[in-house]
Amino acid sequence: MKCLFVMAAGTTAAMAAPVDEELTALVKRYAEAQGTFDLGTLKAVTAESFVEISPVGEVDPREKMLSFYAPEQKRPSPQLKIDEPLVRVFGDSAVVYTRLTYTMGSGETARTFAMRAGYVAQLKDGKWMLVSAQYTGIRPPKTSP
């Protein structure tokens, strides 16, 4: 009986890895689409009920978020690094947390800032879709005097 439980637990962990990877890829696809103003991808990966809490605390429904990334709004985007994914799956819902690090400029004039992003995804008809995103700035480390 103990061997069966260990085997089942191992199978569950192995099955979770592909879902974690799929959800992490979904979040990366969304964040990269924001940077390139790829409206088609943003529409494809967000549910109709999507809501975003912006870094300044504004609540933006999907249509407002999409209007921000309209082709006529396109401007140069900073370089983006996405790391530290943490995925939690709860049946047909999941929460994904990541760190987003943005770098603007290059060389000595480069400026870097980071945010934590939290995403909620829902599995519908066999496809994960984002239903919300929320961003929180990360304070830069204090410099010594």
Side-chain angles (χ1 to χ4, degrees):
M1 186 74 128
K2 188 175 182 181
C3 289
L4 182 60
F5 175 73
V6 171
M7 189 172 86
T11 302
T12 302
M15 288 171 43
V19 171
D20 287 5
E21 291 171 11
E22 182 180 357
L23 287 161
T24 300
L26 174 67
V27 164
K28 285 183 179 184
R29 198 170 157 214
Y30 174 76
E32 289 168 357
Q34 288 176 309
T36 59
F37 286 68
D38 182 347
L39 203 52
T41 296
L42 292 171
K43 288 179 181 178
V45 301
T46 57
E48 291 288 329
S49 61
F50 179 85
V51 174
E52 175 184 87
I53 309 300
S54 77
V56 295
E58 295 175 352
V59 179
D60 298 333
R62 183 175 188 248
E63 288 307 313
K64 184 175 180 186
M65 177 275 294
L66 291 173
S67 71
F68 182 84
Y69 295 102
E72 63 273 11
Q73 300 290 339
K74 190 171 183 175
R75 56 191 165 278
S77 296
Q79 293 178 352
L80 172 63
K81 178 182 173 189
I82 305 166
D83 63 355
E84 298 183 7
L86 177 62
V87 179
R88 297 290 185 257
V89 178
F90 307 98
D92 65 353
S93 298
V95 179
V96 182
Y97 299 105
T98 63
R99 180 175 61 179
L100 306 173
T101 304
Y102 298 92
T103 303
M104 294 189 280
S106 60
E108 291 183 22
T109 61
R111 187 175 142 243
T112 299
F113 63 95
M115 289 188 283
R116 291 284 173 198
Y119 304 91
V120 178
Q122 185 175 40
L123 184 62
K124 188 168 184 170
D125 299 325
K127 182 179 177 185
W128 287 102
M129 300 287 288
L130 294 176
V131 295
S132 74
Q134 181 166 356
Y135 304 95
T136 303
I138 299 173
R139 290 184 191 177
K142 291 185 179 184
T143 55
S144 300

